[in-house]
Amino acid sequence: MLHTPNMKGLYRFEGNSTDGSGNAHNGTDTAITYVTGRFGKGASFDGTTSYIDFGDVADFDFGTGDFTFALHVYRDNVTNSATLFAKGDITLPSGYALYIDRGVDGNFIKFAANNNAAMVTSASAIADLVWRHIAFTRSGGTIQIYVDGKPDGASGTYTGDFTNALSAIAGRWSHTASGFLAGKEDELIVLRKALSTSDIRRIMLGLHPLGG
């Protein structure tokens, strides 16, 4: 996959967390191993200590603008909640996170931000031990979750500012050492643009986004 001007992070996890977007937003690994992924290798998280710290990357703040996050995830269990990507503290006025909430309802994907002012929940539960592709976008204030290349659940509306000074982290909460992922991630992509449904399906298949 080639990088584009709107692509701010591209992590293929082929033995490291080096940024392939050309922006040098490389990650620092803690207790990460590299195993068979969705395409090639992927990053494996142990559920107790593993995470990847990308630092306080301004390109991942987004302000009030549009964006896309997308990644493949494989969970090793469905009994615990799992943070996929976070920057900042969602219980404070700034910060956002994409996570799977075990909760009382069971394994729904959630995007939350800015003291939970922006909360979107998937319609589908991720309660199986297989690779799934998850993405979320903001386009003109509309936030949408995608599962396996299709919009999943009702969209939400939030035009607030996501800028904060905490690190962007894959595999646990950004502001506290909890919410660890037990499983694997692969092909993590961050763009300062809302991709179309067709382009989200393309990156799910490992293809280059035509409108990226």
Side-chain angles (χ1 to χ4, degrees), residues 173-193:
W173 292 114
S174 179
H175 63 290
T176 183
S178 62
F180 288 94
L181 166 67
K184 297 176 276 290
E185 293 188 4
D186 202 1
E187 302 294 316
L188 171 62
I189 301 171
V190 184
L191 301 100
R192 292 184 72 104
K193 177 180 181 176

Side-chain angles (χ1 to χ4, degrees), residues 125-138:
I126 307 300
D128 46 9
L129 305 180
V130 299
W131 281 104
R132 308 298 293 267
H133 188 257
I134 298 171
F136 69 101
T137 64
R138 178 163 72 171

Side-chain angles (χ1 to χ4, degrees), residues 52-120:
I52 302 172
D53 189 336
F54 302 101
D56 179 17
V57 179
D59 277 338
F60 296 173
D61 278 334
F62 307 120
T64 59
D66 294 352
F67 59 81
T68 299
F69 276 93
L71 76 163
H72 292 270
V73 61
Y74 184 105
R75 299 175 73 197
D76 289 341
N77 68 67
V78 296
T79 58
N80 298 315
S81 297
T83 308
L84 306 181
F85 192 93
K87 188 177 190 301
D89 184 346
I90 66 171
T91 66
L92 295 178
S94 64
Y96 62 85
L98 178 68
Y99 61 103
I100 300 173
D101 187 3
R102 175 65 181 86
V104 295
D105 299 323
N107 294 298
F108 289 94
I109 305 163
K110 293 185 177 181
F111 172 76
N114 295 11
N115 201 21
N116 291 318
M119 174 69 80
V120 183

Side-chain angles (χ1 to χ4, degrees), residues 149-173:
K150 299 178 181 179
D152 192 274
S155 61
T157 301
Y158 186 70
T159 58
D161 191 336
F162 290 146
T163 302
N164 64 81
L166 292 181
S167 289
I169 291 182
R172 52 156 257 202
W173 292 114

Side-chain angles (χ1 to χ4, degrees), residues 109 119-124 142-146 151-157:
I109 305 163
M119 174 69 80
V120 183
T121 302
S122 67
S124 302
T142 299
I143 297 172
Q144 180 67 60
I145 291 175
Y146 294 79
D152 192 274
S155 61
T157 301

